[in-house]
Amino acid sequence: MDKYIICGERRLTGTVDISGAKNAVVAILPATVLANGVCRIENIPNIADVDTALEILNSLGATVSRIDKHTVEIDSRTIVTQTVPHDLAKKMRASYYFIGALLGRFGKASVPMPGGCYFGVRPIDQHLKGFTALGAQVLPMKNGMISACADSLVGNSVYLDMVSVGATVNIMLAAVYAEGITVIENAAKEPHIVDLANFLNSMGADIRGAGTDVIKVRGVNRLYGTTYSIIPDQIEAGTYMAAAVATGGDVTVRNVIPKHLESITAKLQEMGAEIEEFDEEIRVSAGNFLRHCNVKTMPHPGFPTDMQPQIAVLLSMAEGTSIINEGVWENRYRYVDELRRMGAEIQVDGKLAVIQGVPHLTAAPVKAMDLRAGAAMVIAAMAAHGVTEIEDIQYIERGYEDLVEKLRGLGADIRRVSEDEPALQTAQ
Ligand code: EPU
């Protein structure tokens, strides 16, 4: 039960470096299963989900060498089993990418139903539909395991009923060795989809159209080892941008791809923030006050659902009434009760949240309900009057590298305490 203790009303200023993208690396690490050689992956974020993915690779028999905090080398030629253990799979949603990768490489995979953040039901029917279309047999679930096998995979056309990042990734992984051409229609266009395609192509795959809604995968006979650097994390960058605005600050977010941040930049500008874009950095300065606005989350290039809780914190402090329409997940408002404890006025009705801005938030003991909800609580606490304690921070640390150190570098008063340390003290 470690927690963060945050003393609010500190203006964030300075420069922060953004780490490699969580949602890219959790697809790229399983994809190394497909290589006949050593893959060197650089710019990996130092987060719990990476540790879990590497432990899974290790458990399969791959040779994993951690070169330094941000670099790993993986040799999948030593893999001896196609079954992912329960205790590791339950720690991370993306463990299901091992189904596509193992099926693609070995023609069989057994992977437990994955864990991860809870946003209502999280079906994987589109993933399974894709595997079946390629000729795999998906076995009825047994002991919580999803098992699929195929004598050979053959390219086919797969139309996704809804835009799904996970299904797009999994079908790409299964299709790289399939005979002929696989066409994924209504594919996800997120930056991490493009990053995965670039990684696979650097190994010798033939994938075209990533970043559009039609991806074509022409099967190849062999994939090789490669050296690849992960793209910067769009959502980590967006989270620091929101934190800068929430605290009335002036922050330069470095090592980013500004194009990936356009929808976030546009909303922050609409709320009154000033934003300057450079080649690989963005400077965010808060305006004199926050204006209300409406936000609808959508698949890329729309406003990302993974920034929804963080933007809700800003809207909670903006003048007037704002409406959020959650367009991706069934239930992504579980953090609202926590934010209400801090004085936010939010009414939720299905996919809509109506937010009546208040002049300021006040400290309260709160919980991180999931990864992004937790990040939102950190932002709220840094803006609020008083000292906030945030519990269940293990969710946050699944996806944000060195959050405490990075925020302290910007002037935040945040401290991480473990269970046995005294509770309420100011952070610095
Ligand atoms: N869906 C189905 N059937 C499927 C797959 C998805 O009905 O077979 C539905 C989902 O229930 C959801 C929608 O389609 O309503 C989109 O789901 P998607 O498959 O795109 O989500 P995901 O792949 O499980 C990834 C990210 C999430 C992010 C979503 C949406 C990873 C590891 N996770 O999840 O990231 O919210 O895409 O952009 O890439 C996070 O980083 O905090 C996070 C939760």
Side-chain angles (χ1 to χ4, degrees):
M1 284 291 282
D2 297 347
K3 49 183 137 182
Y4 292 150
I5 297 182
I6 299 173
C7 183
E9 294 181 298
R10 297 285 192 280
R11 188 171 172 263
L12 298 190
T13 55
T15 299
V16 62
D17 285 310
I18 297 306
S19 300
K22 171 183 91 78
N23 288 345
V25 77
V26 296
I28 285 173
L29 291 177
T32 63
V33 164
L34 295 157
N36 287 288
V38 176
C39 292
R40 181 184 170 93
I41 318 290
E42 299 172 346
N43 199 34
I44 55 169
N46 190 27
I47 53 174
D49 271 10
V50 163
D51 295 338
T52 304
L54 294 177
E55 280 180 61
I56 292 176
L57 283 163
N58 220 2
S59 76
L60 297 174
T63 308
V64 175
S65 318
R66 199 88 191 224
I67 306 300
D68 59 37
K69 195 173 165 190
H70 296 122
T71 309
V72 68
E73 285 181 358
I74 297 154
D75 187 346
S76 292
R77 288 171 297 189
T78 51
I79 285 182
V80 287
T81 171
Q82 288 76 41
T83 301
V84 171
H86 268 285
D87 58 325
L88 294 176
K90 74 176 182 211
K91 289 192 193 169
M92 168 176 99
R93 184 79 195 156
S95 52
Y96 59 21
Y97 291 153
F98 283 95
I99 312 177
L102 290 165
L103 184 64
R105 173 80 190 274
F106 299 102
K108 59 178 177 173
S110 272
V111 178
M113 268 304 278
C117 296
Y118 180 79
F119 315 129
V121 187
R122 293 184 74 172
I124 59 163
D125 54 301
Q126 301 301 303
H127 306 228
L128 304 184
K129 178 171 102 170
F131 300 145
T132 309
L134 298 179
Q137 191 191 358
V138 178
L139 306 174
M141 180 110 60
K142 204 171 158 193
N143 300 329
M145 298 293 273
I146 306 158
S147 298
C149 58
D151 291 334
S152 63
L153 293 169
V154 180
N156 200 347
S157 192
V158 184
Y159 179 87
L160 299 180
D161 296 340
M162 74 289 299
V163 177
S164 162
V165 169
T168 305
V169 167
N170 243 335
I171 297 167
M172 281 163 70
L173 294 174
V176 280
Y177 281 126
E179 192 190 321
I181 298 178
T182 299
V183 182
I184 309 171
E185 292 184 73
N186 200 24
K189 300 187 281 239
E190 269 65 6
H192 30 286
I193 299 288
V194 179
D195 209 35
L196 173 67
N198 288 341
F199 171 68
L200 291 168
N201 285 343
S202 79
M203 285 161 65
D206 184 352
I207 301 177
R208 297 173 197 200
T212 75
D213 48 19
V214 181
I215 298 178
K216 292 187 180 158
V217 184
R218 187 185 292 271
V220 294
N221 291 327
R222 201 171 168 82
L223 295 175
Y224 303 91
T226 185
T227 296
Y228 193 80
S229 182
I230 305 283
I231 51 164
D233 196 305
Q234 172 202 31
I235 305 300
E236 188 197 16
T239 301
Y240 284 100
M241 291 165 74
V245 177
T247 61
D250 184 346
V251 170
T252 298
V253 183
R254 196 160 60 186
N255 180 30
V256 296
I257 299 175
K259 176 91 186 141
H260 294 169
L261 298 167
E262 276 174 352
S263 60
I264 301 166
T265 299
K267 277 296 152 193
L268 295 180
Q269 281 173 325
E270 209 177 316
M271 296 178 75
E274 278 180 33
I275 301 202
E276 280 179 89
E277 282 186 13
F278 305 94
D279 284 351
E280 292 184 356
E281 56 189 51
I282 285 194
R283 179 175 172 192
V284 183
S285 329
N288 292 334
F289 67 99
L290 279 169
R291 278 195 293 270
H292 67 103
C293 69
N294 298 333
V295 176
K296 179 167 168 58
T297 69
M298 283 186 279
H300 193 77
F303 188 87
T305 172
D306 295 341
M307 279 298 298
Q308 186 255 96
Q310 301 91 313
I311 208 84
V313 172
L314 298 184
L315 297 176
S316 296
M317 299 184 293
E319 59 80 27
T321 306
S322 306
I323 296 176
I324 296 182
N325 185 342
E326 171 54 51
V328 177
W329 294 110
E330 180 186 287
N331 178 5
R332 205 171 189 169
Y333 289 122
R334 293 192 318 138
Y335 65 89
V336 161
D337 281 345
E338 302 302 302
L339 210 46
R340 281 201 195 111
R341 281 183 223 282
M342 300 183 74
E345 289 185 15
I346 307 178
Q347 300 301 323
V348 174
D349 184 5
K351 293 198 155 198
L352 298 183
V354 180
I355 304 179
Q356 181 62 50
V358 295
H360 58 262
L361 298 174
T362 46
V366 292
K367 285 186 165 56
M369 301 303 287
D370 59 57
L371 168 61
R372 307 304 174 188
M377 290 306 131
V378 172
I379 296 174
M382 291 189 301
H385 176 66
V387 180
T388 297
E389 278 188 30
I390 305 178
E391 285 184 2
D392 288 343
I393 58 172
Q394 70 279 6
Y395 289 113
I396 306 176
E397 294 179 352
R398 273 190 42 219
Y400 287 91
E401 175 173 344
D402 294 342
L403 180 74
V404 170
E405 292 74 12
K406 288 186 185 186
L407 287 173
R408 287 173 75 105
L410 294 172
D413 190 344
I414 174 169
R415 195 160 68 98
R416 186 187 196 289
V417 293
S418 46
E419 195 175 17
D420 28 341
E421 284 179 60
L424 256 181
Q425 296 174 2
T426 45
Q428 279 181 352

